Coordinates of all heavy atoms in Angstrom, one line a residue:
M1 N 19.5 -22.1 9.7 CA 19.6 -20.8 9.0 C 19.9 -19.7 10.1 O 18.9 -19.3 10.8 CB 18.4 -20.6 8.2 CG 18.4 -19.4 7.4 SD 19.5 -19.5 6.0 CE 19.2 -21.2 5.4
S2 N 21.1 -19.2 10.1 CA 21.4 -18.2 11.1 C 21.2 -16.8 10.5 O 21.2 -16.6 9.3 CB 22.8 -18.3 11.7 OG 23.7 -17.9 10.7
F3 N 21.0 -15.8 11.4 CA 20.9 -14.4 11.0 C 22.1 -14.0 10.2 O 22.0 -13.3 9.2 CB 20.7 -13.6 12.3 CG 20.6 -12.1 12.0 CD1 19.4 -11.5 11.7 CD2 21.8 -11.3 12.2 CE1 19.4 -10.2 11.4 CE2 21.7 -10.0 12.0 CZ 20.5 -9.4 11.6
K4 N 23.2 -14.4 10.7 CA 24.5 -14.0 10.1 C 24.6 -14.5 8.7 O 25.1 -13.8 7.8 CB 25.7 -14.4 10.9 CG 27.0 -13.8 10.5 CD 28.1 -14.2 11.5 CE 29.4 -13.6 11.0 NZ 30.5 -14.0 11.9
E5 N 24.2 -15.7 8.4 CA 24.2 -16.3 7.1 C 23.4 -15.5 6.1 O 23.8 -15.3 5.0 CB 23.7 -17.8 7.1 CG 24.6 -18.8 7.7 CD 24.0 -20.1 7.7 OE1 22.8 -20.3 8.2 OE2 24.7 -21.1 7.3
V6 N 22.2 -15.1 6.6 CA 21.3 -14.4 5.7 C 21.9 -13.0 5.3 O 21.9 -12.6 4.2 CB 19.9 -14.2 6.3 CG1 19.0 -13.4 5.4 CG2 19.3 -15.6 6.5
V7 N 22.3 -12.2 6.3 CA 22.8 -10.9 6.1 C 24.1 -10.8 5.3 O 24.5 -9.8 4.8 CB 22.9 -10.0 7.3 CG1 21.5 -9.9 7.9 CG2 23.9 -10.5 8.3
E8 N 24.8 -11.9 5.2 CA 26.1 -12.0 4.5 C 26.0 -12.4 3.1 O 27.0 -12.5 2.3 CB 27.1 -12.9 5.3 CG 27.6 -12.3 6.6 CD 28.6 -13.2 7.3 OE1 28.7 -14.4 6.9 OE2 29.2 -12.7 8.2
V9 N 24.8 -12.7 2.6 CA 24.5 -13.1 1.3 C 24.8 -11.9 0.4 O 24.4 -10.8 0.7 CB 23.1 -13.6 1.1 CG1 22.8 -13.9 -0.4 CG2 22.9 -14.9 1.8
K10 N 25.5 -12.2 -0.8 CA 25.8 -11.1 -1.7 C 24.5 -10.5 -2.2 O 23.5 -11.1 -2.6 CB 26.6 -11.7 -2.9 CG 27.0 -10.6 -3.8 CD 27.8 -11.2 -5.0 CE 28.1 -10.0 -6.0 NZ 28.8 -10.5 -7.1
G11 N 24.4 -9.2 -2.1 CA 23.3 -8.4 -2.6 C 22.2 -8.1 -1.6 O 21.3 -7.4 -1.8
F12 N 22.4 -8.6 -0.4 CA 21.4 -8.4 0.7 C 21.3 -6.9 1.0 O 20.2 -6.4 1.0 CB 21.8 -9.2 2.0 CG 20.9 -9.0 3.1 CD1 19.7 -9.7 3.2 CD2 21.2 -8.0 4.1 CE1 18.8 -9.4 4.2 CE2 20.3 -7.8 5.2 CZ 19.1 -8.5 5.2
W13 N 22.4 -6.3 1.3 CA 22.3 -4.9 1.8 C 21.9 -4.0 0.6 O 21.2 -2.9 0.8 CB 23.7 -4.4 2.4 CG 23.9 -5.1 3.7 CD1 24.8 -6.1 3.9 CD2 23.1 -5.0 4.9 NE1 24.6 -6.6 5.2 CE2 23.6 -5.8 5.9 CE3 22.1 -4.1 5.3 CZ2 23.1 -5.9 7.2 CZ3 21.6 -4.2 6.6 CH2 22.1 -5.1 7.5
K14 N 22.3 -4.3 -0.6 CA 21.9 -3.5 -1.8 C 20.3 -3.6 -1.9 O 19.7 -2.6 -2.1 CB 22.5 -4.0 -3.0 CG 22.2 -3.2 -4.3 CD 22.9 -3.8 -5.5 CE 22.4 -3.1 -6.7 NZ 23.1 -3.7 -7.9
S15 N 19.8 -4.8 -1.7 CA 18.3 -4.9 -1.7 C 17.6 -4.2 -0.6 O 16.6 -3.6 -0.8 CB 18.0 -6.4 -1.7 OG 18.4 -7.1 -2.8
V16 N 18.2 -4.2 0.6 CA 17.7 -3.4 1.7 C 17.6 -1.9 1.3 O 16.5 -1.3 1.5 CB 18.5 -3.6 3.0 CG1 18.1 -2.7 4.1 CG2 18.4 -5.1 3.5
I17 N 18.6 -1.4 0.8 CA 18.6 0.0 0.5 C 17.6 0.3 -0.6 O 16.9 1.3 -0.5 CB 20.1 0.5 0.1 CG1 21.0 0.4 1.3 CG2 20.1 1.9 -0.6 CD1 22.4 0.6 1.0
I18 N 17.6 -0.5 -1.7 CA 16.7 -0.2 -2.8 C 15.2 -0.3 -2.3 O 14.4 0.5 -2.6 CB 17.0 -1.2 -4.0 CG1 18.3 -0.8 -4.6 CG2 15.8 -1.1 -5.0 CD1 18.8 -1.8 -5.6
L19 N 14.9 -1.4 -1.6 CA 13.6 -1.6 -1.1 C 13.1 -0.5 -0.1 O 12.0 0.0 -0.2 CB 13.4 -2.9 -0.5 CG 12.0 -3.4 -0.3 CD1 11.2 -3.5 -1.6 CD2 12.0 -4.8 0.3
G20 N 14.1 -0.1 0.8 CA 13.8 1.0 1.7 C 13.5 2.3 1.0 O 12.6 3.0 1.4
F21 N 14.3 2.6 0.0 CA 14.1 3.8 -0.8 C 12.8 3.8 -1.5 O 12.1 4.8 -1.5 CB 15.3 4.1 -1.7 CG 15.3 5.4 -2.4 CD1 15.5 6.5 -1.8 CD2 14.9 5.4 -3.8 CE1 15.5 7.8 -2.4 CE2 14.9 6.6 -4.5 CZ 15.1 7.8 -3.8
A22 N 12.5 2.7 -2.1 CA 11.2 2.6 -2.8 C 10.0 2.8 -1.8 O 9.0 3.4 -2.2 CB 11.1 1.2 -3.5
F23 N 10.2 2.2 -0.6 CA 9.1 2.3 0.4 C 8.9 3.8 0.7 O 7.8 4.3 0.8 CB 9.5 1.5 1.6 CG 8.6 1.8 2.8 CD1 7.4 1.3 2.9 CD2 9.0 2.7 3.8 CE1 6.5 1.5 4.0 CE2 8.2 3.0 4.9 CZ 7.0 2.4 5.0
M24 N 10.0 4.5 0.9 CA 9.9 5.9 1.3 C 9.2 6.7 0.2 O 8.4 7.6 0.5 CB 11.3 6.5 1.5 CG 12.0 6.1 2.8 SD 13.5 6.9 3.2 CE 14.5 6.8 1.8
L25 N 9.6 6.5 -1.1 CA 8.9 7.2 -2.2 C 7.4 6.9 -2.2 O 6.6 7.8 -2.3 CB 9.6 6.8 -3.5 CG 11.0 7.4 -3.7 CD1 11.5 6.8 -5.1 CD2 11.0 8.9 -3.7
I26 N 7.1 5.6 -2.2 CA 5.7 5.2 -2.3 C 4.9 5.8 -1.1 O 3.8 6.3 -1.2 CB 5.5 3.7 -2.4 CG1 6.1 3.3 -3.8 CG2 4.1 3.3 -2.3 CD1 6.3 1.8 -3.9
Y27 N 5.4 5.6 0.1 CA 4.7 6.1 1.3 C 4.5 7.6 1.3 O 3.4 8.0 1.6 CB 5.6 5.7 2.6 CG 5.0 6.3 3.8 CD1 3.9 5.7 4.5 CD2 5.4 7.5 4.4 CE1 3.3 6.2 5.6 CE2 4.9 8.1 5.5 CZ 3.8 7.4 6.1 OH 3.2 8.0 7.2
N28 N 5.5 8.3 0.9 CA 5.3 9.8 0.8 C 4.4 10.2 -0.3 O 3.6 11.2 -0.1 CB 6.7 10.5 0.7 CG 7.4 10.5 2.1 OD1 6.8 11.0 3.0 ND2 8.6 9.9 2.1
A29 N 4.3 9.5 -1.4 CA 3.4 9.8 -2.5 C 2.0 9.5 -2.0 O 1.1 10.3 -2.3 CB 3.7 8.9 -3.7
I30 N 1.8 8.4 -1.3 CA 0.4 8.1 -0.7 C 0.0 9.2 0.3 O -1.1 9.6 0.3 CB 0.4 6.7 -0.2 CG1 0.5 5.7 -1.3 CG2 -0.9 6.5 0.6 CD1 0.7 4.3 -0.9
D31 N 1.0 9.5 1.2 CA 0.7 10.6 2.2 C 0.4 11.9 1.5 O -0.6 12.6 1.9 CB 1.9 10.7 3.1 CG 1.7 11.7 4.2 OD1 0.5 11.8 4.7 OD2 2.6 12.4 4.7
L32 N 1.1 12.2 0.5 CA 0.8 13.5 -0.3 C -0.6 13.4 -0.9 O -1.3 14.4 -0.8 CB 1.9 13.6 -1.3 CG 1.8 14.9 -2.3 CD1 1.9 16.2 -1.5 CD2 2.8 14.8 -3.4
L33 N -1.0 12.3 -1.4 CA -2.3 12.2 -2.0 C -3.4 12.3 -1.0 O -4.3 13.1 -1.2 CB -2.4 10.8 -2.8 CG -3.8 10.5 -3.3 CD1 -4.2 11.4 -4.4 CD2 -3.8 9.0 -3.8
F34 N -3.4 11.4 0.0 CA -4.5 11.4 1.0 C -4.5 12.5 1.9 O -5.6 13.0 2.3 CB -4.4 10.1 1.7 CG -4.8 8.9 0.9 CD1 -3.9 7.8 0.7 CD2 -6.0 8.8 0.3 CE1 -4.3 6.7 0.0 CE2 -6.4 7.7 -0.5 CZ -5.5 6.7 -0.6
S35 N -3.4 13.0 2.4 CA -3.4 14.1 3.4 C -3.4 15.5 2.8 O -3.9 16.4 3.4 CB -2.1 14.0 4.3 OG -2.2 12.7 5.0
Y36 N -2.9 15.6 1.6 CA -2.7 17.0 1.0 C -3.3 17.1 -0.4 O -3.2 18.2 -0.9 CB -1.2 17.3 1.0 CG -0.5 17.3 2.3 CD1 0.1 16.2 2.7 CD2 -0.6 18.4 3.2 CE1 0.7 16.1 4.0 CE2 0.0 18.3 4.4 CZ 0.6 17.2 4.8 OH 1.2 17.1 6.0
G37 N -3.9 16.1 -0.9 CA -4.5 16.2 -2.2 C -3.6 16.6 -3.3 O -4.0 17.4 -4.2
F38 N -2.4 16.2 -3.2 CA -1.3 16.5 -4.2 C -1.0 18.0 -4.2 O -0.6 18.6 -5.2 CB -1.6 16.0 -5.6 CG -1.2 14.6 -5.8 CD1 -2.2 13.6 -6.0 CD2 0.1 14.2 -5.8 CE1 -1.8 12.3 -6.2 CE2 0.5 12.9 -6.0 CZ -0.5 12.0 -6.2
S39 N -1.2 18.7 -3.1 CA -0.8 20.1 -2.9 C 0.7 20.1 -2.4 O 0.9 19.9 -1.2 CB -1.7 20.8 -1.9 OG -1.2 22.1 -1.7
F40 N 1.6 20.2 -3.3 CA 3.0 20.1 -3.0 C 3.4 21.2 -2.0 O 4.2 21.0 -1.1 CB 3.9 20.2 -4.2 CG 3.8 18.9 -5.1 CD1 3.1 18.9 -6.2 CD2 4.5 17.8 -4.7 CE1 3.0 17.8 -7.0 CE2 4.4 16.6 -5.4 CZ 3.7 16.6 -6.6
D41 N 2.8 22.4 -2.2 CA 3.1 23.6 -1.4 C 2.8 23.3 0.1 O 3.6 23.6 1.0 CB 2.4 24.8 -1.8 CG 2.9 25.2 -3.2 OD1 4.1 24.9 -3.6 OD2 2.1 25.9 -4.0
E42 N 1.6 22.7 0.4 CA 1.2 22.4 1.7 C 2.1 21.3 2.3 O 2.5 21.4 3.5 CB -0.2 21.9 1.8 CG -1.3 23.0 1.6 CD -2.7 22.5 1.7 OE1 -2.9 21.6 2.6 OE2 -3.5 22.9 0.9
F43 N 2.4 20.3 1.5 CA 3.2 19.2 2.0 C 4.6 19.7 2.4 O 5.1 19.4 3.4 CB 3.4 18.1 0.8 CG 4.2 16.9 1.2 CD1 3.6 15.9 2.0 CD2 5.5 16.8 0.8 CE1 4.3 14.8 2.3 CE2 6.2 15.7 1.1 CZ 5.6 14.7 1.9
I44 N 5.2 20.5 1.5 CA 6.5 21.0 1.8 C 6.5 22.0 3.0 O 7.4 21.9 3.8 CB 7.1 21.8 0.5 CG1 7.4 20.7 -0.6 CG2 8.3 22.6 0.9 CD1 7.7 21.3 -1.9
A45 N 5.5 22.8 3.1 CA 5.4 23.7 4.2 C 5.3 23.0 5.5 O 5.9 23.4 6.5 CB 4.2 24.6 4.0
E46 N 4.6 21.9 5.6 CA 4.4 21.2 6.8 C 5.5 20.2 7.1 O 5.9 20.0 8.3 CB 3.1 20.4 6.8 CG 2.7 19.8 8.2 CD 1.3 19.3 8.3 OE1 0.4 19.9 7.7 OE2 1.2 18.2 8.9
K47 N 6.0 19.5 6.1 CA 7.0 18.4 6.4 C 8.4 18.9 6.3 O 9.3 18.3 6.9 CB 6.8 17.3 5.4 CG 5.4 16.7 5.4 CD 5.3 15.6 6.4 CE 3.9 14.9 6.3 NZ 3.8 13.9 7.3
L48 N 8.7 19.9 5.5 CA 10.1 20.1 5.1 C 10.6 21.5 5.6 O 11.7 22.0 5.1 CB 10.3 20.0 3.6 CG 9.9 18.6 3.0 CD1 10.1 18.7 1.5 CD2 10.7 17.5 3.6
E49 N 10.0 22.1 6.5 CA 10.5 23.4 7.0 C 10.8 23.3 8.5 O 10.1 22.7 9.3 CB 9.4 24.5 6.8 CG 9.2 24.8 5.3 CD 8.2 26.0 5.1 OE1 7.6 26.5 6.1 OE2 8.1 26.4 3.9
G50 N 11.9 24.0 8.8 CA 12.3 24.1 10.2 C 12.7 22.7 10.8 O 13.4 21.9 10.2
K51 N 12.3 22.6 12.1 CA 12.7 21.3 12.8 C 12.0 20.1 12.2 O 12.4 19.0 12.4 CB 12.3 21.5 14.3 CG 13.2 22.5 15.0 CD 12.8 22.6 16.4 CE 13.6 23.7 17.1 NZ 13.2 23.8 18.5
M52 N 10.9 20.3 11.5 CA 10.1 19.2 10.9 C 10.9 18.5 9.9 O 10.7 17.3 9.6 CB 8.8 19.7 10.4 CG 7.8 20.2 11.4 SD 7.4 19.0 12.7 CE 6.5 17.8 11.8
L53 N 11.9 19.2 9.2 CA 12.7 18.6 8.2 C 13.5 17.5 8.8 O 13.6 16.3 8.2 CB 13.6 19.6 7.5 CG 14.6 19.1 6.5 CD1 13.9 18.4 5.4 CD2 15.5 20.2 6.0
I54 N 14.2 17.7 9.9 CA 15.0 16.7 10.6 C 14.1 15.5 11.0 O 14.5 14.4 10.7 CB 15.7 17.3 11.8 CG1 16.6 18.5 11.4 CG2 16.5 16.2 12.5 CD1 17.7 18.1 10.4
R55 N 13.0 15.8 11.6 CA 12.1 14.7 12.0 C 11.6 13.9 10.8 O 11.6 12.7 10.8 CB 10.9 15.3 12.7 CG 9.9 14.3 13.2 CD 8.8 15.0 13.9 NE 7.8 14.0 14.3 CZ 6.6 14.3 14.6 NH1 6.2 15.6 14.8 NH2 5.7 13.4 14.9
F56 N 11.3 14.6 9.7 CA 10.8 13.9 8.5 C 11.9 13.0 7.9 O 11.6 11.9 7.6 CB 10.4 15.0 7.5 CG 10.0 14.5 6.1 CD1 8.7 14.0 5.9 CD2 10.9 14.5 5.1 CE1 8.4 13.5 4.7 CE2 10.5 14.0 3.8 CZ 9.2 13.5 3.6
L57 N 13.1 13.5 7.8 CA 14.2 12.7 7.3 C 14.5 11.5 8.1 O 14.7 10.4 7.6 CB 15.4 13.6 7.1 CG 15.3 14.7 6.0 CD1 16.6 15.5 6.0 CD2 15.1 14.0 4.6
I58 N 14.6 11.7 9.4 CA 14.9 10.6 10.4 C 13.8 9.6 10.3 O 14.1 8.4 10.2 CB 15.2 11.1 11.8 CG1 16.5 11.9 11.8 CG2 15.2 10.0 12.8 CD1 16.7 12.7 13.1
A59 N 12.6 10.0 10.4 CA 11.5 9.0 10.3 C 11.5 8.2 9.0 O 11.2 7.0 9.0 CB 10.1 9.8 10.5
N60 N 11.7 8.9 7.9 CA 11.7 8.2 6.6 C 12.9 7.3 6.5 O 12.7 6.1 6.0 CB 11.8 9.3 5.5 CG 10.4 9.7 5.1 OD1 9.8 9.0 4.3 ND2 10.0 10.8 5.6
I61 N 14.1 7.7 7.0 CA 15.2 6.8 6.9 C 15.1 5.5 7.8 O 15.3 4.4 7.3 CB 16.5 7.5 7.2 CG1 16.8 8.6 6.1 CG2 17.7 6.6 7.4 CD1 17.9 9.6 6.5
I62 N 14.6 5.8 9.0 CA 14.4 4.6 9.9 C 13.3 3.7 9.4 O 13.4 2.5 9.4 CB 14.1 5.1 11.3 CG1 15.4 5.7 11.9 CG2 13.6 4.0 12.2 CD1 15.2 6.4 13.2
G63 N 12.2 4.3 9.0 CA 11.0 3.5 8.5 C 11.4 2.7 7.2 O 11.1 1.6 7.1
G64 N 12.1 3.4 6.3 CA 12.5 2.7 5.1 C 13.5 1.6 5.4 O 13.4 0.5 4.8
F65 N 14.4 1.8 6.3 CA 15.4 0.8 6.6 C 14.7 -0.4 7.3 O 15.0 -1.6 6.9 CB 16.5 1.3 7.6 CG 17.4 0.3 8.0 CD1 18.4 -0.2 7.2 CD2 17.3 -0.3 9.3 CE1 19.3 -1.2 7.6 CE2 18.2 -1.3 9.7 CZ 19.2 -1.8 8.9
I66 N 13.8 -0.1 8.2 CA 13.2 -1.3 8.9 C 12.3 -2.1 7.9 O 12.4 -3.3 7.9 CB 12.3 -0.8 10.0 CG1 13.2 -0.2 11.2 CG2 11.3 -1.8 10.6 CD1 12.4 0.5 12.3
Y67 N 11.6 -1.4 7.1 CA 10.8 -2.1 6.1 C 11.6 -2.9 5.1 O 11.4 -4.1 4.9 CB 9.9 -1.1 5.3 CG 9.1 -1.8 4.2 CD1 7.9 -2.4 4.5 CD2 9.5 -1.8 2.9 CE1 7.1 -3.0 3.5 CE2 8.8 -2.4 1.9 CZ 7.6 -3.0 2.2 OH 6.9 -3.7 1.3
G68 N 12.7 -2.2 4.6 CA 13.5 -2.9 3.6 C 14.3 -4.0 4.2 O 14.4 -5.1 3.6
F69 N 14.7 -3.9 5.5 CA 15.5 -5.0 6.1 C 14.6 -6.2 6.4 O 14.9 -7.3 6.1 CB 16.1 -4.5 7.4 CG 16.9 -5.5 8.1 CD1 18.2 -5.7 7.8 CD2 16.4 -6.4 9.1 CE1 19.0 -6.7 8.3 CE2 17.1 -7.4 9.6 CZ 18.5 -7.5 9.3
V70 N 13.4 -6.0 6.9 CA 12.5 -7.1 7.3 C 12.1 -7.8 6.0 O 12.2 -9.1 5.9 CB 11.3 -6.6 8.0 CG1 10.2 -7.7 8.1 CG2 11.7 -6.1 9.4
V71 N 11.6 -7.1 5.0 CA 11.2 -7.8 3.8 C 12.3 -8.5 3.1 O 12.2 -9.7 2.6 CB 10.5 -6.8 2.8 CG1 10.2 -7.4 1.5 CG2 9.2 -6.3 3.5
T72 N 13.5 -7.8 3.0 CA 14.6 -8.5 2.3 C 15.1 -9.7 3.1 O 15.5 -10.7 2.5 CB 15.8 -7.4 2.1 OG1 15.3 -6.3 1.4 CG2 16.9 -8.0 1.4
F73 N 15.2 -9.5 4.4 CA 15.6 -10.7 5.2 C 14.7 -11.9 5.0 O 15.2 -13.0 4.8 CB 15.6 -10.3 6.7 CG 16.1 -11.4 7.6 CD1 17.4 -11.6 7.8 CD2 15.2 -12.2 8.3 CE1 17.9 -12.6 8.7 CE2 15.6 -13.2 9.1 CZ 17.0 -13.4 9.3
L74 N 13.4 -11.7 5.0 CA 12.5 -12.8 4.8 C 12.6 -13.4 3.4 O 12.6 -14.6 3.3 CB 11.1 -12.4 5.1 CG 10.8 -12.0 6.6 CD1 9.4 -11.4 6.7 CD2 11.0 -13.2 7.5
Q75 N 12.8 -12.6 2.4 CA 13.0 -13.1 1.1 C 14.3 -13.9 0.9 O 14.3 -15.0 0.4 CB 13.1 -11.9 0.1 CG 11.7 -11.2 -0.2 CD 11.9 -10.1 -1.1 OE1 13.0 -9.5 -1.3 NE2 10.8 -9.7 -1.7
F76 N 15.4 -13.4 1.4 CA 16.7 -14.1 1.3 C 16.7 -15.3 2.2 O 17.2 -16.3 1.8 CB 17.8 -13.1 1.7 CG 18.3 -12.3 0.6 CD1 17.5 -11.3 0.1 CD2 19.6 -12.5 0.1 CE1 17.9 -10.5 -0.9 CE2 20.0 -11.7 -1.0 CZ 19.2 -10.7 -1.5
R77 N 16.1 -15.3 3.4 CA 16.0 -16.5 4.2 C 15.2 -17.6 3.5 O 15.6 -18.7 3.5 CB 15.4 -16.2 5.6 CG 15.5 -17.3 6.5 CD 14.9 -17.0 7.8 NE 13.5 -17.2 7.7 CZ 12.6 -17.0 8.6 NH1 12.9 -16.6 9.8 NH2 11.3 -17.3 8.4
G78 N 14.1 -17.2 2.9 CA 13.3 -18.2 2.2 C 14.0 -18.8 1.0 O 14.0 -20.0 0.7
K79 N 14.8 -17.9 0.3 CA 15.6 -18.4 -0.8 C 16.6 -19.4 -0.4 O 16.8 -20.4 -1.0 CB 16.2 -17.2 -1.5 CG 17.1 -17.5 -2.7 CD 17.7 -16.3 -3.3 CE 18.8 -16.6 -4.3 NZ 19.5 -15.5 -4.8
L80 N 17.3 -19.1 0.7 CA 18.4 -20.0 1.3 C 17.8 -21.3 1.7 O 18.4 -22.3 1.5 CB 19.1 -19.3 2.4 CG 20.0 -18.2 2.0 CD1 20.6 -17.5 3.2 CD2 21.2 -18.6 1.1
K81 N 16.6 -21.2 2.3 CA 15.9 -22.5 2.8 C 15.6 -23.3 1.6 O 15.8 -24.6 1.6 CB 14.7 -22.2 3.6 CG 15.0 -21.8 5.0 CD 13.6 -21.6 5.8 CE 13.9 -21.4 7.2 NZ 12.7 -21.3 8.0
R82 N 15.1 -22.8 0.5 CA 14.7 -23.5 -0.7 C 15.9 -24.1 -1.3 O 15.9 -25.3 -1.8 CB 14.0 -22.6 -1.7 CG 12.6 -22.3 -1.3 CD 11.8 -21.6 -2.4 NE 12.4 -20.4 -2.8 CZ 12.2 -19.2 -2.2 NH1 11.3 -19.1 -1.2 NH2 12.7 -18.1 -2.7
E83 N 17.1 -23.4 -1.3 CA 18.3 -23.9 -1.8 C 18.8 -25.1 -1.0 O 19.4 -26.1 -1.6 CB 19.4 -22.8 -1.9 CG 19.1 -21.8 -3.0 CD 20.1 -20.7 -3.0 OE1 21.0 -20.6 -2.2 OE2 19.9 -19.8 -3.9
K84 N 18.7 -25.1 0.3 CA 19.1 -26.1 1.2 C 18.3 -27.4 1.0 O 18.8 -28.5 1.0 CB 19.1 -25.7 2.6 CG 20.3 -24.9 3.0 CD 20.4 -24.7 4.5 CE 21.7 -23.9 4.8 NZ 21.9 -23.7 6.2
V85 N 17.0 -27.2 0.7 CA 16.1 -28.3 0.5 C 16.5 -29.0 -0.8 O 16.4 -30.3 -0.9 CB 14.6 -27.9 0.5 CG1 13.7 -29.0 0.0 CG2 14.2 -27.4 1.9
K86 N 16.9 -28.3 -1.8 CA 17.2 -28.9 -3.1 C 18.5 -29.7 -3.0 O 18.7 -30.6 -3.8 CB 17.4 -27.8 -4.1 CG 16.1 -27.2 -4.6 CD 16.4 -26.2 -5.7 CE 15.1 -25.5 -6.2 NZ 15.3 -24.5 -7.2
Q87 N 19.4 -29.4 -2.1 CA 20.7 -30.1 -2.0 C 20.5 -31.4 -1.4 O 20.0 -32.1 -0.9 CB 21.6 -29.3 -1.1 CG 22.1 -28.0 -1.9 CD 23.0 -27.2 -1.0 OE1 23.4 -27.5 0.1 NE2 23.4 -26.1 -1.6

């Protein structure tokens, strides 16, 4: 099972994007709850103003991509291995 085989499966990249986006939403909701007590004004003031906005966006995109890629890769690799065993 090669890396290339797994990433070329139809639907792989779509799953990476969806899972990465879901991770970003859930992570930020948890951060908002625990760090700011659902105070949207404080969250926005600290995370989304000035230079922090760029840092926030880059960190979320990279973190979401890494999480989405790793989890999706492992799921698809497992699925392909199970299909090969059945053959």
Side-chain angles (χ1 to χ4, degrees):
M1 185 69 40
S2 74
F3 177 82
K4 191 175 180 179
E5 285 178 311
V6 176
V7 298
E8 289 180 348
V9 172
K10 183 180 179 184
F12 177 83
W13 292 108
K14 181 180 175 183
S15 293
V16 169
I17 292 169
I18 291 170
L19 195 56
F21 185 72
F23 170 79
M24 290 188 306
L25 288 176
I26 294 168
Y27 174 80
N28 285 302
I30 292 170
D31 185 31
L32 178 63
L33 171 66
F34 288 120
S35 299
Y36 302 95
F38 276 111
S39 174
F40 289 104
D41 295 332
E42 287 181 40
F43 183 80
I44 290 171
E46 188 170 321
K47 302 273 186 181
L48 303 177
E49 289 184 357
K51 292 180 182 178
M52 294 303 288
L53 174 62
I54 301 298
R55 181 180 173 195
F56 176 80
L57 291 174
I58 290 172
N60 272 276
I61 291 168
I62 291 172
F65 175 78
I66 290 171
Y67 178 83
F69 184 85
V70 168
V71 172
T72 303
F73 182 83
L74 294 173
Q75 287 177 340
F76 275 67
R77 189 181 79 178
K79 179 182 173 185
L80 290 174
K81 280 185 175 182
R82 286 189 300 274
E83 288 176 358
K84 281 190 177 185
V85 168
K86 286 183 181 179
Q87 292 178 0

